[in-house]
Amino acid sequence: MLAALALLLLPQVDPAADRAALLDGVTALEQTGIPGPVVAFGPDAFAVLTAANGEAVVAAARFGEGRVVAFGHGGYLGAGPEGSGRARLLANAIAWVSPDFEPGAEVAPVIADVRAADFSVAAVVTWAGGDIPPATRVALRDFVHAGGGLVVGECPWGWQQLHPALELREDGPSNQVLAPMGLVFGPTYLGGGPYAVSGSRPEAAHAGAALRQLARAGATEGFTALERALQSVPAADALFLPSVFVYLADQSQFAPPSEARPLRGDDPVSRLQVAYWSRIWEDAPVAEITPAPGVEHFPGAVPADAARRSQQLVANRTDRGWISTGGYAPPGEPVVVRIARGSARGWRLRVGAHTDSIAHHAEWKRWPSVSRSVALEDEQTTVASPFGGLVYLEAGEGAAAPLHVEISGVVEAPFFDLQHPGAEAGWPEERQAPAPWAEIAGEHLILTVPSAAIRELDDPARLARFWDSVMEAHYQLAARPLPARPERFVADVQISAGYMHAGYPVMTWLDVTRPSAGRPLGLTVDAERLEQDGSWGHYHELGHNSQRGDWTFAGTGEVTCNLFSLHAGHRLNGIEPWANPWLEGQKASAKAYLEGGADFEDWKRNPGLALLMYAQLQRAFGWEPYSAAFAEYEALKPNQRPRGQGEELEQQRRDQWMVRMSRATGRDLGPFFERWGVPISAAARAETAELEDWQPDWRELGLKRRN
């Protein structure tokens, strides 16, 4: 095996001298924007400078008679401050790629932007990333191979955001040019600048070298480079991907990830298996898709004797959300969608509700990415997922309704739809449907939970109505109409960040679906417990989805969302906001903060402390001023909203919030904001000066009535 691998991975030329020339006079590269990684994988490519996590922010390669240097952000090709590491490294890069390069020599090449370059006369071409025509991509590649020099900078994640229907790996112009040179841009982010030469680890940032080290020693410090290359190298690659296949074909060791046995860095072979097959399945034809090893642990297996069925469905909505079908795709089996009436344009089929990628985590309790979405074709679309999952329709740009489809090859999932006639009567049988995942759908919110969580759920209507009431409470406070698209909660064995996180869908861990507190149902599906106690975490994440930037200034990102938590707890659970258990522990901290001088920087770092300030206003004036202020924000014209950048924007946000809440309460809140240390401008204070001053009873925090 090693001999075959050595033939595929040709020996890499020692890049030490080239790297030294490029870094001559550079001690650190300042961070510009948010760069993305540059992945070196070819035998003549090498990392120049890495971030703290070991990924390259600058890499280079020889290609034919020419050379290329790639920066992880297009901003690095702009003129940096004189004497900066950025300016020196750019000058070094231009000199190094010049056909007349000699160490220490003054080089004055012809430099032309790639969009207007005459390759017949240019010696060095610079390209600050972005789109160029296919013919220019080929000409640029040929130019370098023939002896020209290229310096390129690309913000790869930025390109992907601007081209959501395309794929950076296969369609990105910079990757199409660079891949034959052994370099590609990766899809993720690099932070942590400036990037110091002294802390750089370029030897660990070459994917080919990392694979050779793994093959020889059974371990590698360059595993991140291997993973990033598998995400980024185009399917047409004839060197790196075949080399990984040759290596893995000789490995019997493979332990798929599971909750009981998470896959960590101390098993690099299994992690490489997971990363490799995750990549291969993305491009494989349906006939070659098989169930993923360990899929029985998550998302779950489908009973072999469960009936595969066909169902007709009419999609009547085109809002940007998922339309539940009640069908489940068995792992590794094809699902076929036929268009009976309507146009497939803009419509997609999704398999799997678990959209979080956990590839960046140090341990995996499941495969890193387990959902898939494909565009529907005009007549028939066939898709298979190695993981299986609930099946959805998605309306995208240009989608029209109604769309009549037939979906075949699915297994029935437990699905309760509050708006469907007869749903309650049919639930005793429906909840026994064989798929491993179930959904409870109200009018405004849908729960996606393991089927085991709802087998003993007797009253799904009560549960759905409770979650609808949470949505109604949140939007009542926000002074906005309820959205056409229902919100979603999806439970997962491992999520991308936090204990729960906002978004579409809102993600939670599985623990909230499992029996706890001596009760037979998990919190998410226990209507009786929810009606009594509520759920701060669920309220909080829906609160994030209800936030508006105009009234959420720096330090309140984890505060204004909790207004909705307090409000829902009050309206639905009878918990007075000031007495909410989540606030009780903050009151002693508030006393110490206020007596210690009320430093706004401390206020911003303590969401619980900051929420007390908002709760004091509610205690005195109720919820109506909040809804009135939010309604006022909703009606603002663009030129009336907080504007500017940095501190100017933050000052406007604070000022407008104080002024609008003062008007909503009919009292001057300027002194109150000042007491809490929240900076308000003199101009804003003047706007509320005609109102009567207001201060709370500070004795409720153990302070004197007025300070």
Side-chain angles (χ1 to χ4, degrees), residues 259 447-450 453-454 463 467 489-493 495 499-500 506-516 520-527 529-530 534-538:
E259 185 176 19
L447 303 174
T448 302
V449 298
I454 54 81
L463 177 66
W467 285 113
F489 281 115
V490 175
D492 198 331
V493 71
I495 65 177
Y499 177 63
M500 298 182 183
V506 176
M507 298 299 301
T508 78
W509 290 70
L510 286 177
D511 64 316
V512 292
T513 71
R514 292 169 170 164
S516 62
L521 296 173
L523 175 62
T524 305
V525 295
D526 190 339
R529 184 178 169 193
L530 288 166
S535 174
W536 182 273
H538 289 88

Side-chain angles (χ1 to χ4, degrees), residues 264-281:
R264 302 183 177 92
D266 56 3
D267 189 354
V269 176
S270 293
R271 282 180 71 95
L272 184 60
Q273 291 271 21
V274 167
Y276 176 76
W277 286 108
S278 295
R279 163 61 195 276
I280 295 303
W281 284 325

Side-chain angles (χ1 to χ4, degrees), residues 123 177 192 204 221 293 402-403 412 432-433 488 507 513 544 563 628-629 648 681 693 697 704:
V177 171
E221 63 172 327
L403 178 72
E412 184 180 7
Q432 301 305 325
R488 287 180 177 270
M507 298 299 301
T513 71
H544 272 305
L563 288 172
E648 177 189 6
S681 72
D693 287 359
D697 185 348
K704 295 180 180 179

